[in-house]
Amino acid sequence: MSSSVRAELVCFESSCRARFPITEVLYNCPQCGGLIEATYSGPRPSGAELRGLFRQRRLNNAPLDASGVWRYRELFPFLDDYAHVVTLREGCTPLLDSPIAAQYGGLDRLAFKHQGFNPTGSFKDNGMTAGASQARRLGMKRVACVSTGNTSASMAAYAAAAGLEALIFLPRGNISFGKLAQALEYGARTLEVEANFDQILALVRVLAARLGIYLLNSMNPFRVEGQKTIVFEMLDQRDWQAPDWIVLPGGNLGNTSAFGKALREACELGLIDKLPRIAVIQAAGAAPFHEMFVHGGEFKAVTNPETLATAIRIGDPVSWPKALHEVRSCNGTVEKVTEQEIADAKAMIGRAGIGCEPASAATLAGIRKLTAAGVIARNADVVAALTGNVLKDPDYIYKYHTGKLEAPDGVKLQSTFGNKSIVVPNDPDRIAALLQ
Ligand code: F0G
């Protein structure tokens, strides 16, 4: 289907735009140091043809069509042979309406695109199936990443499924136990480094070059290509009616880059007829992108990022130039939220019967702020991405509900929507009395 399409790697910097073969191992432009993206040229099916094709494939059990990523393969046609694909039937995540969360967020209605339903419990699987498949195509033997936990869990699973050796670098003491456990269970060689995410990313870049390892962090352009399908699947679930706003948490900003690219390309291909606005939400203790967006000037990294939402505890996000371009292109915005706001929003998402990990809840906290400020209208059509599963970080949940959650600065957080368990004796009379 995609044989006549030409896929290339291109430098993202508008002043450079150097082009490279799609099979080159590149994370940055060798000429100017800019980020790299995949681009496609040549004849493509029309929007109407594609919409019909994608819908038809939902009835098919073939692995490529059953995957909520590869079902949309014409929208990221970088592979020349789909035999390279490693799939765990990722994607296929629900779009959930939540009146309870809408009310909390100051909206008439709100839908969550819940990426926590993925095979390893986060949105990273959408990108990892693409990155791991490219690794196989290139004949790589070892893959590596630095991670705040979800990328590593995902990479470990896909590497195992693909028969690749996985090497994982984690910031010691700052990843949830559930995520660390996943890396071990999927058999990855796991190194806990005494440094933060940003420092370890610099370290891993040096090691990757030295040891000839394929890097699967989000500056890998193929991860971004796979993550675009989060947006495509969401639009498909809405019969290609674009929402007014898409809200997502921002850490390393790979997902923001992917969402923006997906929306622009969906418009160009005639799949949708308007460009939704993107709102990126950061944790206040790790909000360099918010700082730059609001105050302008040079990008300044935060040297000691802090948040209990460890997934987004990142001070020097590599993909900020792409993310900035995307947020500006769609007239979007960037907001930041406090630890208390994240914790309470998370509990509300739980109360709605949905649940998510802390970083994901930044979305609802951000929506609440943005509606209060009049940036998002009460009657706007809003989709928020929940990036990770509720079980990723049970320690955080237990502490919140028992009033033991402390912000990184030591301040105790309010257990606003707390729900403590009750210890009872094995005595029907006393239990009945208690429950009356
Ligand atoms: N939400 C969750 C649950 C995440 O794990 C991440 C990133 C983000 C949001 C932010 O996405 O980096 O694309 O802006 N986690 C990465 C990791 C950094 O290593 O798992 P982003």
Side-chain angles (χ1 to χ4, degrees):
M1 182 115 208
S2 60
S3 55
S4 52
V5 174
R6 185 179 162 80
E8 281 179 300
L9 293 173
V10 177
C11 174
F12 182 76
E13 286 303 314
S14 52
S15 56
C16 177
R17 296 305 280 177
R19 308 181 91 81
F20 308 93
I22 197 74
T23 48
E24 200 127 319
V25 177
L26 283 180
Y27 316 107
N28 286 97
C29 176
Q31 292 176 22
C32 78
L35 295 165
I36 295 288
E37 66 174 354
T39 60
Y40 311 101
S41 53
R44 313 277 292 273
S46 72
E49 281 172 314
L50 288 169
R51 284 193 295 259
L53 181 66
F54 300 149
R55 189 53 58 92
Q56 219 178 18
R57 284 181 181 159
R58 287 209 211 171
L59 302 171
N60 196 338
N61 287 322
L64 280 189
D65 292 348
S67 159
V69 171
W70 296 100
R71 183 180 305 141
Y72 302 98
R73 54 193 176 273
E74 283 75 11
L75 305 181
F76 59 107
F78 65 81
L79 285 180
D80 51 358
D81 181 354
Y82 287 108
H84 298 300
V85 169
V86 50
T87 171
L88 296 170
R89 310 301 184 271
E90 53 289 318
C92 306
T93 61
L95 185 63
L96 303 169
D97 279 314
S98 179
I100 295 173
Q103 191 185 14
Y104 185 78
L107 291 169
D108 294 339
R109 61 196 169 125
L110 173 62
F112 289 118
K113 178 66 176 156
H114 204 328
Q115 294 304 110
F117 283 68
N118 256 307
T120 77
S122 87
F123 74 99
K124 303 291 181 180
D125 295 339
N126 287 66
M128 202 54 75
T129 182
S133 299
Q134 177 72 1
R136 282 232 294 215
R137 170 211 205 155
L138 297 172
M140 295 292 169
K141 299 280 176 280
R142 298 169 103 188
V143 291
C145 69
V146 50
S147 178
T148 55
N150 280 324
T151 297
S152 49
S154 183
M155 195 193 80
Y158 281 85
L164 300 166
E165 191 190 329
L167 197 52
I168 283 169
F169 296 82
L170 302 172
R172 179 162 167 74
N174 276 301
I175 99 157
S176 78
F177 205 60
K179 297 174 189 177
L180 173 60
Q182 282 181 291
L184 302 178
E185 186 79 355
Y186 296 132
R189 264 178 117 175
T190 305
L191 308 179
E192 295 187 65
V193 187
E194 308 270 5
N196 70 26
F197 177 92
D198 307 303
Q199 295 161 331
I200 305 171
L201 184 55
L203 172 82
V204 169
R205 279 173 176 242
V206 172
L207 284 173
R210 195 179 293 178
L211 301 176
I213 303 169
Y214 193 57
L215 266 190
L216 281 172
N217 273 101
S218 61
M219 70 270 190
N220 180 308
F222 302 99
R223 290 255 330 268
V224 170
E225 289 305 293
Q227 274 169 226
K228 291 189 317 195
T229 61
I230 301 167
V231 165
F232 298 142
E233 188 179 66
M234 178 272 288
L235 292 170
D236 193 359
Q237 287 164 321
R238 294 171 48 99
D239 298 322
W240 303 95
Q241 298 300 309
D244 298 321
W245 285 91
I246 299 179
V247 186
L248 80 166
N252 217 15
L253 300 171
N255 216 22
T256 305
S257 314
F259 277 34
K261 189 171 192 274
L263 291 168
R264 281 189 291 109
E265 292 175 352
C267 265
E268 283 159 22
L269 288 166
L271 285 164
I272 52 174
D273 53 18
K274 75 165 193 201
L275 198 59
R277 299 170 74 183
I278 293 176
V280 180
I281 318 297
Q282 295 209 289
F289 189 54
H290 172 264
E291 178 66 25
M292 181 195 209
F293 188 81
V294 172
H295 301 291
E298 294 279 294
F299 180 82
K300 279 206 270 327
V302 171
T303 39
N304 283 312
E306 282 296 357
T307 170
L308 295 178
T310 49
I312 50 174
R313 190 173 178 273
I314 293 174
D316 194 4
V318 282
S319 294
W320 74 261
K322 284 186 178 176
L324 186 65
H325 171 76
E326 301 303 350
V327 173
R328 283 191 178 149
S329 301
C330 68
N331 190 24
T333 192
V334 184
E335 186 51 276
K336 65 175 178 182
V337 289
T338 65
E339 296 296 308
Q340 186 70 54
E341 287 168 331
I342 293 174
D344 290 341
K346 178 171 143 52
M348 281 310 298
I349 295 168
R351 286 277 176 100
I354 291 174
C356 65
E357 69 162 285
S360 311
T363 52
L364 182 59
I367 288 169
R368 190 173 156 94
K369 266 185 103 167
L370 290 169
T371 52
V375 178
I376 298 182
R378 166 168 276 284
N379 62 359
D381 182 358
V382 182
V383 173
L386 295 182
T387 44
N389 191 282
V390 67
L391 289 174
K392 285 281 189 177
D393 196 351
D395 188 53
Y396 180 107
I397 303 179
Y398 187 74
K399 284 184 178 153
Y400 176 85
H401 287 289
T402 52
K404 291 182 187 136
L405 196 61
E406 275 181 21
D409 59 6
V411 172
K412 214 172 212 170
L413 297 183
Q414 300 282 324
S415 168
T416 318
F417 305 110
N419 182 26
K420 276 191 204 164
S421 58
I422 307 161
V423 179
V424 291
N426 183 8
D427 177 340
D429 294 336
R430 287 172 67 184
I431 295 175
L434 182 91
L435 296 179
Q436 246 143 33

